[in-house]
Amino acid sequence: LTNELEENRKHWKDNRIDIEIKSVKQKTLNKEESLKSKLINALPETGFLAEYMSYACPLTDAPNEFHLIGALMTLSTIISNQTYIQFGHQKIYPNLYVILIAPSSIFRKSTVMGISKSLVKLMDKKSVFPNEMTPEAFKESLSTETGQGQGIFYISEFGSLLTSFEREYNRGLKEFFTDIYDCPDEYVRKLNRGTFTISHPFINIFGGSDISW
């Protein structure tokens, strides 16, 4: 009798766990459907975002949410610092730092970034900054004297970039990206070889990473 009671208790406990798991899954699905519905309703029927989504979504089976981020990153880079919202004494610019976090391959993160990148290049190739460069070359590419301080970085493995920030030769880059996010009228730093100046900086970062990061 004791063994039978123990078996019944174990069976009841397993069933309760299964019910709880199914309940959590259903709530998660309901939330996802609600978010998708809100996303669809929030999209304008005409204009750049609508046209971008109509163009990009049939090209790959990436989530629509990722394509919307691609549209916003593309629009932000094209507009650059030509528009802003005055908030008290501060100007709020439409620059964005965004990372797509999802498992590799099946969510097409790189494909989504590639669509955005190709469209930005059609408008202005100089607006797409190279991913691989020395800190000195990086700063020169943004400086007022030798390059331009407005554009976007497409980084397919953002975790690797963060790791590189900890290396001695990249010291200060993490702080630089933090400081530059507010788009000051002028960014000035003194280096060993002279003064490094960016006039009206406007930097976007569009990255991707798997869940392990």
Side-chain angles (χ1 to χ4, degrees), residues 20-33:
E20 289 177 352
I21 291 174
K22 289 179 181 178
S23 176
V24 170
K25 286 183 176 179
Q26 187 59 50
K27 288 179 181 178
T28 302
L29 288 173
N30 291 341
K31 287 182 179 179
E32 289 179 354
E33 290 301 322

Side-chain angles (χ1 to χ4, degrees), residues 59-60 62 67 108-116:
L59 298 179
T60 176
H67 285 303
R108 317 294 189 228
K109 300 186 297 292
S110 296
T111 303
V112 170
M113 286 188 282
I115 294 171
S116 171

Side-chain angles (χ1 to χ4, degrees), residues 104-122:
S104 299
S105 302
I106 59 175
F107 284 88
R108 317 294 189 228
K109 300 186 297 292
S110 296
T111 303
V112 170
M113 286 188 282
I115 294 171
S116 171
K117 186 176 183 178
S118 64
L119 293 176
V120 171
K121 278 189 170 182
L122 285 176

